Structures are given as structure tokens and as C-alpha cells.
């Protein structure tokens, strides 16, 4: 089915045949307009092992007299160009709350950060990833202010609900009221606010909302975006009388966005952010549309389950449960793998994989290591922990009992696992340095997630990285070494084969094989604080005599028909034959 027919079908499934026909005509005008504006490749982008994404705020590095976007660009060019080929700059638009995710104006760069010229600069060296915060806007946005005044077409851009409406089935991602009262020209109304009173949900039942968001989507591509992250995608469509999550219309909306991109900018990748149990998350890949594994929805989905599973693995010193889960992952491996991010570590994606006692242990460790907890409302009205707010380094290592070299080894081991698992890795900027919890950030913002969002002085970071014995410098050097190694070896390509080997319950053993390039690598990570002896599998060593660790260059030889390795606590080997 061609893109035009696909798009028509999606629009009809959302808006009905009559409205969809009118909408399609208006949409084609917009598509033709942007085709003449956008300078983008007309071919599909094929992901390889070189695709590694840095996740960062625009003002992550601050230097006096320099715009934050310029400073970030300088850091990325000077320190990261050899290891990353893509950068996700978190929302850099004017905003009123939630560190950027309450957007006031989709079309502007926050002047405190820079301008579109500064954003464009990144696209010369990296594939640029931007946020499509398409579920909601700030109450200070022109769209919402026009809604309050009753101005067309904004009168139906948002969802007003009578106060006695039964919304008991609605899935709540926050322990906050679902509706917020606002004074309008017509009187007081209750408006749908899924995430906070300052984040007003858009009403996609309005065709004008859909058209405006498509315009924003194409505008971002015109500004250099080559990956679009759709934020909070499960909640896009509201239907009273349902749970209002993962609705068929939501999937149709994402498929429509994808069909539009396939016409205008097929090089651009769509990635959906859905902090939900794995099987629900998987649905956003859609259905296969050809025999090559290509699907009709997102090209990548956030792999939220990986984070809590890795934390559990190091807490227990046992890789069995993580290995079994990795072995169960369906192909194609269209996963955006991450452990740390600007948000906390979600627990919903661990449901059905970890049991209640194991999840309780993650919560308790977060408390003990100085972290915070975020809560949501269950359907029975009870508050329940849904997210751990803590830096990854401080979860893995008790800040009250530092052991420098062991702590670094444990942390790097967690990152080596993320880089070995099939998919595209996303590295949060704080993981490059092993950041500690920022208690003052949390206190200043009254937002638990801020504990993991500290900003840095550029000069101080440069000074720290110049000292090879400094903790942050040691972590940075080892992390960059892993990233460069991964980029140079095709066995780590996202679609290369993946197999879990059962060698020892304390060792996660992943065999990655690229059949096109005939490269096979066995990735071994000791997740315990014990020494572990390992024999490489007989079929792996059958045709070889010499085996090399890609990370260190260390060589191992076959001796009496076997290759024996000793893994130190938290040590990683990437063995190639």
C-alpha cells in the first residue's frame, strides 16, 4: 500500500470518511508546501552500530558570555564527535514548567538558550533529535489563552468535561487531579490536564489540532531534526468511558505522522516515548508493511524495561532474569535502549517481569541511597510508586560508603550491558560522568526528577576532564572507550542477531552476530562482586585459535581445546574470534 492510500485510511479511521476527505485535501497542501522547504534525503535511513544518541538539556553546560546552545555544541565537538553521531536536545522552546515539557511556543527557541541558528549548527555534525511534545501545551501558550477567550478555531483545541462526568476508568500517570478549573469567556470549565495543571491536553478530535501539529512536525524537520521523539504518546486520544490510554485512534495518529514523513522526509525517524509495560510499548512499532521488517508506525520505541531490570541485576548480583528477558525480545530489534534519562527510572515497565518483592527492593535501595520517589494514582485511588528519582551512579553505589574503583567498575558494567543489547543506545549526559544526586536541585524545584538534572559549569567540566585521576574523568575515559569500540564493530548493529548464553548466573553473556559482515562477538559482563571463571562456548571457539577482547586488546589462546577466562568483579569482555 502506498503512502497516500495509507494516510487516507488512517485519517478515515480517526475522523470518518467525510471529514477525512476534507482534511486530506488540506493536508496535501501542507505537505506540498514543506516539500519545497525541506532539504532532506529521499531515502530511508538505515541504522547501524554507529548510531549512538546523547541525551542532554540545551543548557547542560554554562559558560559566562556564551549562549548555552553554543556552549553545548562546543562541548560535543571537542569531546564527543568520535563517539556519538546523534544528539537529543531536550525541549529548548519557551516553557512555563517541567524543565521544558510545558511548551509555550512550538516555533521559537527559548532566547535564554540561543536561536534556530544555534540549533542548526548541531545538524552539521550530528543527527539531531527533537521532542514533539504533542500531548499538551502550556496554559500560557497562545493556543490556550485564545481558548479561554472563546476565539476560533481554538475553541475546540482542548477538552472541557462536565464536573459530574464518570472518569473512573481513566489511567492516571500522576497522583494529581485529572481536571483543572479555568475561567473562560463562557464561565468556569473543567479542562483535561493529564500531567499537571500547567500542561493542557490537546483535543485531537479537532482536525485543526491535527493540522497544526503536523505543521509543527514538518517545521522541526525544516529546522534540521532527523529524529522526532513523540512525548507521552499513549495519552494522545481521550475517549470518555474508556481508560484513555493506547486508544486505536492514538495508534492511527502515530501511523498518520509516519505516513506523512514517508512522503515528505523518509530519512527522518519517528520514536515513541511510552513509559508502560513492555507488551504495550511494543505495540507502537505497528504492523509490518514489507518483507524486510519495516513497520507502519514508529521506527524505534523507548526500551523502558531495560532500566529497572539492570538495576535489579546488579542489586542481586545475578543475571538470570535479565538474560531471560533479553532472550524473549522479538525481532526486529527496533529498541531505543537506555537506563538513565532526564526522567526517573519507571517501574511500570518492569510489571510482569519483576515480582512485587523485587520491585520493593528497588524502591528501598532508592530510599537508602538518597533518592526520591514519584507516585501515581491507581484505579482504586491509592498512591503507588511509579518512578525512582535518583542518578544511576548513586543507585548502583551507596553514596555513604564510597569505594572508588569498585563503584566505577560496577557503573561501567551497567553501561556495557546497555551498549551490548540489540538496538540503538541512548546515553544520558550525566552517565558520562557518573553524576551524584543533586539534592539542592531537588530542593530548589520541589520536583523529585530534578535530583537527576544538575547543570554544569563548562570551565569546571573541562578542568575535571583534564585531570586523569579525577573520578569523573576516569568514568568519562572508560565510557568513551566503550562507545568508540561499539561504533567500530558491526556485530553491534541494531539488527544483528542476538543470543543469550547460559554460562554462569553471575555473568550476562550475549552473543552478537552480524551475518552480513561475518563478525561475531560474545559480550560477557560479571554483574557480581565475585571472581568468576568462564569457558567460552565450544561452538564459538571451534574454528579459531586466537580470541581478542575488543575493549582492551587482550588476546586469549585456545589451550587443550578450551578458552578459559577469569572475570574480575564487574568486569566486561567483548570477545571476538
Amino acid at each position: 500500500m502506498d503512502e497516500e492510500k495509507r494516510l487516507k485510511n488512517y485519517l478515515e479511521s480517526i475522523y470518518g470518511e467525510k471529514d477525512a476527505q476534507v482534511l486530506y485535501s488540506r493536508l496535501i497542501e501542507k505537505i506540498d508546501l514543506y516539500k519545497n522547504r525541506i532539504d532532506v534525503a529521499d531515502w530511508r535511513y538505515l541504522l547501524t552500530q554507529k548510531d549512538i544518541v546523547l541525551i542532554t538539556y540545551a543548557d547542560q553546560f554554562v559558560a559566562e558570555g556564551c549562549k548555552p546552545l553554543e556552549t553545548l555544541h562546543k562541548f560535543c565537538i571537542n569531546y564527543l564527535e568520535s563517539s556519538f553521531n546523534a544528539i537529543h536536545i531536550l525541549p529548548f522552546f519557551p516553557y512555563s514548567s517541567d524543565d521544558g515539557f510545558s511548551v509555550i511556543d512550538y516555533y521559537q527557541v527559548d532566547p535564554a538558550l540561543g536561536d534556530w541558528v544555534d540549533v542548526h549548527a548541531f545538524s552539521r555534525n550530528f543527527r539531531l533529535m527533537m521532542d514533539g511534545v504533542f500531548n499538551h501545551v502550556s496554559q500560557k501558550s497562545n493556543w490556550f489563552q485564545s481558548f479561554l477567550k472563546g476565539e476560533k478555531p481554538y475553541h475546540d483545541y482542548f477538552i472541557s468535561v462536565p464536573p459530574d462526568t464518570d472518569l473512573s476508568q481513566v489511567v492516571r500517570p500522576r497522583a494529581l487531579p485529572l481536571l483543572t478549573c479555568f475561567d473562560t469567556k463562557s464561565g468556569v470549565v473543567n479542562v483535561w490536564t493529564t500531567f499537571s495543571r500547567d500542561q493542557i491536553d490537546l483535543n485531537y478530535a479537532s482536525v485543526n489540532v491535527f493540522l497544526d501539529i503536523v505543521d509543527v512536525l514538518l517545521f522541526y524537520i525544516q529546522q534540521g531534526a532527523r529524529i522526532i521523539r513523540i512525548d507521552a504518546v499513549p495519552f494522545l486520544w481521550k475517549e470518555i468511558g474508556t481508560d484513555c490510554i493506547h486508544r486505536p485512534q492514538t495508534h492511527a495518529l502515530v501511523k498518520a505522522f509516519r505516513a506523512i514523513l514517508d512522503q515528505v522526509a523518509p530519512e527522518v525517524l519517528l520514536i515513541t516515548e511510552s513509559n508502560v509495560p513492555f507488551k504495550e510499548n511494543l505495540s507502537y512499532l505497528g504492523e509490518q508493511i514489507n518483507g524486510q521488517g519495516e513497520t507502519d508506525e514508529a521506527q524505534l520505541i523507548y526500551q523502558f524495561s531495560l532500566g529497572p531490570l539492570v538495576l535489579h541485576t546488579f542489586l542481586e548480583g545475578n543475571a538470570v532474569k535479565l538474560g531471560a528477558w533479553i532472550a524473549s525480545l522479538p525481532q526486529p530489534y527496533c529498541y531505543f535502549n537506555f537506563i538513565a534519562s532526564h526522567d526517573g527510572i519507571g517501574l511500570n515497565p518492569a510489571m510482569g517481569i519483576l515480582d512485587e518483592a523485587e520491585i520493593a527492593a528497588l524502591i528501598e535501595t532508592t530510599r537508602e541511597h538518597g533518592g526520591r520517589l514519584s507516585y501515581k494514582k491507581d484505579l482504586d485511588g491509592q498512591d503507588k510508586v511509579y518512578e525512582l528519582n535518583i542518578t544511576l551512579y548513586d543507585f548502583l553505589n551507596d553514596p555513604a560508603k564510597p569505594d572508588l574503583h569498585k563503584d566505577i567498575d560496577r557503573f561501567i558494567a551497567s553501561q556495557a550491558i546497555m551498549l551490548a543489547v540489540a538496538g540503538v543506545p541512548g546515553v544520558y549526559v550525566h552517565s558520562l560522568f557518573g553524576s551524584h544526586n543533586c539534592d539542592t536541585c531537588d530542593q530548589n524545584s520541589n520536583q523529585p526528577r530534578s535530583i537527576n538534572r544538575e547543570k554544569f559549569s563548562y570551565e569546571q567540566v573541562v578542568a575535571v576532564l583534564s585531570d586523569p585521576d579525577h573520578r569523573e574523568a576516569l568514568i568519562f575515559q572508560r565510557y568513551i572507550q566503550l562507545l568508540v569500540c561499539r561504533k567500530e564493530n558491526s556485530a553491534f548493529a541494531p539488527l544483528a542477531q542476538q543470543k543469550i548464553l547460559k554460562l554462569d548466573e553471575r555473568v550476562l553473556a550475549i552473543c552478537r552476530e552480524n551475518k552480513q559482515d561475518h563478525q561475531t562477538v560474545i559480550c560477557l559482563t560479571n554483574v557480581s562482586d565475585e571472581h568468576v571463571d568462564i569457558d567460552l562456548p565450544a561452538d564459538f571457539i571451534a574454528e579459531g585459535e586466537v580470541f581478542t577482547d575488543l575493549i582492551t586488546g587482550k588476546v586469549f589462546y585456545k589451550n587443550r581445546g578450551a578458552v578459559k577466562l577469569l572475570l574480575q568483579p564487574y568486569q566486561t569482555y567483548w570477545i571476538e574470534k
Side-chain angles (χ1 to χ4, degrees):
M1 187 185 302
D2 62 34
E3 284 87 354
E4 290 186 10
K5 190 171 183 181
R6 281 169 50 208
L7 180 54
K8 286 181 179 178
N9 288 346
Y10 301 145
L11 296 179
E12 287 181 7
S13 70
I14 301 168
Y15 298 106
E17 185 175 352
K18 182 179 177 181
D19 288 346
Q21 186 60 44
V22 176
L23 174 58
Y24 182 76
S25 298
R26 296 173 64 187
L27 199 53
I28 289 301
E29 292 178 6
K30 191 176 294 291
I31 287 172
D32 290 341
L33 179 67
Y34 272 98
K35 277 183 177 179
N36 296 323
R37 294 178 176 176
I38 293 174
D39 180 19
V40 64
D42 60 359
W43 37 260
R44 299 281 193 271
Y45 183 82
L46 299 178
L47 294 162
T48 73
Q49 71 278 5
K50 296 179 181 179
D51 288 289
I52 304 172
V53 182
L54 176 74
I55 305 167
T56 179
Y57 282 101
D59 59 347
Q60 185 59 56
F61 303 97
V62 180
E64 188 174 350
C66 189
K67 292 182 286 188
L69 277 165
E70 288 182 341
T71 306
L72 175 64
H73 188 234
K74 180 168 66 173
F75 179 84
C76 292
I77 293 297
N78 290 343
Y79 290 94
L80 303 180
E81 199 169 12
S82 67
S83 47
F84 291 88
N85 78 329
I87 295 182
H88 173 200
I89 307 178
L90 291 157
F92 46 78
F93 319 107
Y95 71 98
S96 52
S97 63
D98 199 17
D99 285 341
F101 283 91
S102 185
V103 179
I104 294 174
D105 188 339
Y106 287 122
Y107 293 95
Q108 299 297 322
V109 176
D110 185 343
L113 302 174
D115 53 35
W116 282 115
V117 173
D118 300 314
V119 174
H120 271 294
F122 287 88
S123 63
R124 294 195 291 267
N125 311 93
F126 305 94
R127 284 179 62 80
L128 185 57
M129 180 169 164
M130 292 188 198
D131 284 281
V133 188
F134 295 160
N135 180 72
H136 48 260
V137 297
S138 165
Q139 64 171 283
K140 295 184 179 180
S141 66
N142 285 336
W143 290 6
F144 189 64
Q145 290 302 310
S146 297
F147 165 83
L148 295 179
K149 297 172 186 175
E151 297 175 355
K152 292 184 178 182
Y154 304 102
H155 65 288
D156 67 349
Y157 269 44
F158 305 95
I159 304 167
S160 300
V161 181
D164 58 349
T165 304
D166 182 3
L167 300 174
S168 59
Q169 295 184 55
V170 176
V171 171
R172 300 292 294 116
R174 297 285 186 274
L176 295 168
L178 178 62
L179 303 179
T180 303
C181 292
F182 288 95
D183 291 321
T184 74
K185 183 180 179 181
S186 303
V188 176
V189 297
N190 295 284
V191 180
W192 202 292
T193 52
T194 296
F195 291 96
S196 78
R197 65 175 291 110
D198 186 41
Q199 294 167 301
I200 318 297
D201 288 63
L202 290 164
N203 177 24
Y204 280 91
S206 164
V207 295
N208 289 316
V209 167
F210 177 79
L211 281 169
D212 273 351
I213 290 298
V214 168
D215 193 79
V216 173
L217 173 68
L218 297 178
F219 174 77
Y220 289 169
I221 296 163
Q222 182 185 352
Q223 301 305 318
R226 293 299 174 263
I227 308 172
I228 299 291
R229 170 191 182 270
I230 303 183
D231 179 61
V233 71
F235 304 98
L236 290 182
W237 190 272
K238 285 77 177 176
E239 186 176 351
I240 293 172
T242 75
D243 56 8
C244 297
I245 187 171
H246 312 308
R247 301 307 301 159
Q249 295 92 333
T250 296
H251 287 283
L253 285 168
V254 179
K255 291 180 180 185
F257 293 147
R258 170 70 183 279
I260 291 167
L261 292 179
D262 284 348
Q263 289 189 52
V264 181
E267 179 194 352
V268 175
L269 301 177
L270 204 59
I271 176 170
T272 51
E273 187 259 355
S274 51
N275 192 348
V276 294
F278 176 71
K279 287 185 179 179
E280 298 171 28
N281 192 9
L282 194 64
S283 68
Y284 288 94
L285 291 176
E287 301 168 348
Q288 289 201 10
I289 55 178
N290 57 36
Q292 300 173 346
E294 188 174 357
T295 60
D296 62 355
E297 207 161 337
Q299 284 102 329
L300 289 168
I301 56 173
Y302 270 71
Q303 185 53 288
F304 278 96
S305 300
L306 184 61
L309 279 170
V310 168
L311 300 190
H312 164 77
T313 296
F314 283 92
L315 203 57
E316 297 293 323
N318 186 305
V320 171
K321 188 157 281 193
L322 176 60
W325 175 75
I326 293 173
S328 74
L329 295 176
Q331 298 185 50
Y333 300 118
C334 302
Y335 308 123
F336 185 67
N337 294 324
F338 73 105
I339 304 176
S341 76
H342 63 288
D343 287 337
I345 299 164
L347 296 179
N348 275 356
M351 290 174 59
I353 307 172
L354 301 180
D355 61 34
E356 289 187 9
E358 290 166 336
I359 290 176
L362 298 181
I363 294 171
E364 184 58 29
T365 300
T366 300
R367 287 194 180 104
E368 291 175 350
H369 289 193
R372 309 287 187 269
L373 304 171
S374 291
Y375 294 83
K376 69 169 187 173
K377 290 279 187 189
D378 272 353
L379 289 178
D380 60 4
Q382 298 298 310
D383 286 352
K384 182 177 182 180
V385 176
Y386 81 92
E387 188 178 77
L388 311 176
N389 302 120
I390 188 169
T391 66
L392 182 61
Y393 189 90
D394 279 355
F395 181 95
L396 293 169
N397 305 301
D398 187 348
K401 302 174 182 177
D403 184 335
L404 180 63
H405 294 293
K406 181 178 284 190
D407 289 353
I408 292 176
D409 287 346
R410 186 186 290 113
F411 177 75
I412 292 295
S414 74
Q415 303 307 286
I417 289 174
M418 182 187 73
L419 297 178
V421 174
V424 175
V427 180
Y428 187 38
V429 64
H430 282 282
S431 294
L432 293 175
F433 313 109
S435 293
H436 289 302
N437 296 329
C438 180
D439 292 322
T440 56
C441 300
D442 180 17
Q443 293 165 4
N444 293 340
S445 71
N446 197 30
Q447 165 61 262
R449 287 176 170 177
S450 296
I451 197 172
N452 191 30
R453 297 177 177 179
E454 184 178 7
K455 307 300 169 59
F456 300 135
S457 157
Y458 181 81
E459 288 76 12
Q460 289 178 3
V461 168
V462 170
V464 165
L465 295 184
S466 299
D467 179 358
D469 296 323
H470 200 286
R471 184 188 71 92
E472 283 87 341
L474 291 170
I475 293 170
F476 184 81
Q477 292 159 7
R478 289 182 61 179
Y479 210 134
I480 297 300
Q481 181 187 20
L482 280 178
L483 294 170
V484 171
C485 181
R486 186 189 193 279
K487 286 185 67 173
E488 293 175 347
N489 291 279
S490 65
F492 294 105
L495 298 183
Q497 297 297 303
Q498 174 171 267
K499 181 182 178 181
I500 293 295
L501 307 177
K502 297 180 180 180
L503 305 180
D504 187 290
E505 65 180 16
R506 297 164 293 179
V507 175
L508 182 69
I510 307 175
C511 181
R512 298 297 311 278
E513 180 182 6
N514 189 318
K515 292 187 176 180
Q516 277 190 318
D517 293 353
H518 308 291
Q519 186 188 38
T520 301
V521 175
I522 291 183
C523 306
L524 304 169
T525 299
N526 182 357
V527 302
S528 75
D529 60 0
E530 301 173 353
H531 292 77
V532 181
D533 289 303
I534 289 290
D535 286 354
L536 289 180
D539 57 345
F540 179 74
I541 67 172
E543 299 177 1
E545 296 293 331
V546 180
F547 305 84
T548 305
D549 174 32
L550 296 173
I551 300 172
T552 63
K554 184 176 181 179
V555 176
F556 301 89
Y557 298 92
K558 189 184 295 184
N559 183 16
R560 297 180 182 179
V563 177
K564 297 184 179 296
L565 307 177
L566 171 64
L567 275 80
Q568 304 291 331
Y570 306 113
Q571 185 173 14
T572 291
Y573 283 132
W574 287 349
I575 304 293
E576 180 190 32
K577 60 181 176 182

